[in-house]
Amino acid sequence: MHQILIEKIKDKPPLDRLDNGFVLHFINEFFKRSNTLKIKCENETLKEREIKKIVKEVRNELNKIYGQFWKVKKVKLNLNYDIHQSTFERKEFYHALYEKLFSITGKPKTVLDIGAGLNPLSYGLIGNDVFYYVNELTKEDCNLIEEYLKKNKFKFEILQGDVLEIKEFPEVDVCFLFKILDSLDLRDHKTSENLINKIKANYLIVSFASVTTKNRGMNYPRRGWFEQMLKRLGYKFNKLEFVNEIFYVIKK
Ligand SMILES: C[S@@+](CC[C@H](N)C(=O)[O-])C[C@H]1O[C@@H](n2cnc3c(N)ncnc32)[C@H](O)[C@@H]1O
């Protein structure tokens, strides 16, 4: 029954690129909220409309953290900034962004990019002399990123999979957590805090969107919880504001 649910959920691109185990994790999260449907699923007595409800709700959750960012349903090899929401929004200020970030952190020799999306397309602005560790969720997206980085002669290693399942991170000068924490903190902010504590980097650069993916303003673009958490953990930080995005440069 779980397999049928997984297949139905993945029947809509770009969710078809997600690994089955990741989708299953979200189905189990759904069942934590609905024990009746969980039992029916185990007994294989789910009605058609109940299956539809599960598929719809799990898809909604997966779209919040993955699907909504891809502006095309099928990604082919000619990657560009325009097909991912985050790079699309950043393309006008990438150059200025890296200049400002590295004026604080110094030019890194090693970078870890978590939930990288298509941010690797901007590595040319950082340089080919840097070693990049790149994390993304799905095998397909990682293959695309790998082909791009190989073709453009970058030094890199791909870390494919759910970042929350990575046991040990490489030690790096700078770690990018661009627009990813909101995707990880579906219930509370403990997940972000654990991740931030676990990463071994001289600097963390964390960003948040200040508009929604539909270009609407946000009620709390400056993440109060995040600044309070940094203060509680005793990390010093600088804040940089760009058009649609706020960056925190954090000294670990
Ligand atoms: C808003 S996008 C940001 C992409 C990129 N960091 C940027 O700002 O250009 C969030 C990205 O995180 C990835 N993602 C979401 N959950 C993840 C997880 N648990 N582990 C690794 N990557 C994840 C998604 O696939 C998506 O590409």
Side-chain angles (χ1 to χ4, degrees):
M1 193 78 230
H2 283 91
Q3 192 52 36
I4 293 173
L5 289 174
I6 293 175
E7 278 164 25
K8 282 189 188 287
I9 290 163
K10 288 180 60 169
D11 199 26
K12 236 184 184 177
L15 300 185
D16 56 339
R17 303 214 291 273
L18 290 169
D19 296 343
N20 288 358
F22 192 76
V23 176
L24 180 61
H25 170 75
F26 278 76
I27 294 174
N28 289 332
E29 285 296 307
F30 172 87
F31 284 144
K32 281 186 194 161
R33 302 191 294 276
S34 174
N35 201 40
T36 324
L37 291 180
K38 178 178 186 242
I39 292 165
K40 281 188 162 185
C41 178
E42 281 162 5
N43 297 336
E44 305 206 351
T45 56
L46 281 172
K47 300 208 172 72
E48 197 55 39
R49 69 176 160 74
E50 291 166 330
I51 293 180
K52 274 200 177 137
K53 178 182 157 73
I54 300 169
V55 169
K56 188 170 170 217
E57 291 204 17
V58 176
R59 267 192 197 148
N60 276 347
E61 291 292 304
L62 291 169
N63 277 326
K64 272 190 224 159
I65 62 151
Y66 181 77
Q68 66 166 338
F69 306 119
W70 291 95
K71 289 159 72 69
V72 288
K73 299 274 177 248
K74 285 271 168 215
V75 182
K76 309 242 167 53
L77 263 179
N78 58 340
L79 300 180
N80 60 72
Y81 285 159
D82 293 344
I83 60 178
H84 197 283
Q85 183 71 26
S86 310
T87 43
F88 171 72
E89 285 177 5
R90 213 176 279 136
K91 65 179 180 181
E92 304 301 335
F93 63 82
Y94 254 126
H95 191 73
L97 170 69
Y98 285 136
E99 240 178 40
K100 282 204 173 161
L101 293 178
F102 299 144
S103 72
I104 301 170
T105 66
K107 167 96 188 276
K109 289 194 176 68
T110 45
V111 167
L112 167 63
D113 195 351
I114 290 181
L118 287 185
N119 194 48
L121 301 190
S122 72
Y123 293 170
L125 298 170
I126 308 177
N128 286 57
D129 51 344
V130 176
F131 194 96
Y132 300 92
Y133 295 93
V134 187
N135 162 251
E136 242 309 320
L137 207 46
T138 75
K139 209 166 261 150
E140 238 180 275
D141 295 340
C142 283
N143 287 344
L144 288 171
I145 294 169
E146 183 170 358
E147 290 217 22
Y148 172 83
L149 292 176
K150 253 192 203 152
K151 199 169 131 201
N152 290 283
K153 303 201 168 18
F154 287 98
K155 293 174 283 176
F156 68 95
E157 184 181 330
I158 303 281
L159 311 171
Q160 190 248 316
D162 182 351
V163 64
L164 302 178
E165 300 292 324
I166 295 180
K167 298 273 176 297
E168 180 127 7
F169 292 101
E171 249 181 272
V172 290
D173 293 330
V174 170
C175 173
F176 296 161
L177 287 152
F178 291 174
K179 288 190 178 174
I180 170 91
L181 295 189
D182 283 338
S183 295
L184 303 178
D185 284 346
L186 293 177
R187 306 275 163 262
D188 58 40
H189 299 306
K190 208 66 205 154
T191 312
S192 287
E193 184 167 337
N194 291 340
L195 181 63
I196 281 172
N197 281 328
K198 211 165 119 185
I199 292 170
K200 294 178 270 182
N202 289 334
Y203 284 92
L204 298 176
I205 304 175
V206 176
S207 83
F208 296 99
S210 46
V211 291
T212 65
T213 47
K214 301 213 163 49
N215 214 24
R216 298 196 189 109
M218 281 184 169
N219 291 340
Y220 303 104
R222 279 173 209 79
R223 304 298 199 275
W225 69 268
F226 187 66
E227 294 189 15
Q228 277 161 24
M229 185 191 83
L230 293 178
K231 284 176 192 153
R232 178 164 50 76
L233 296 174
Y235 293 133
K236 294 215 166 72
F237 63 89
N238 292 68
K239 192 162 58 179
L240 303 173
E241 297 196 28
F242 285 83
V243 188
N244 294 327
E245 197 167 354
I246 296 177
F247 290 82
Y248 290 88
V249 184
I250 304 151
K251 175 83 185 89
K252 268 210 95 178

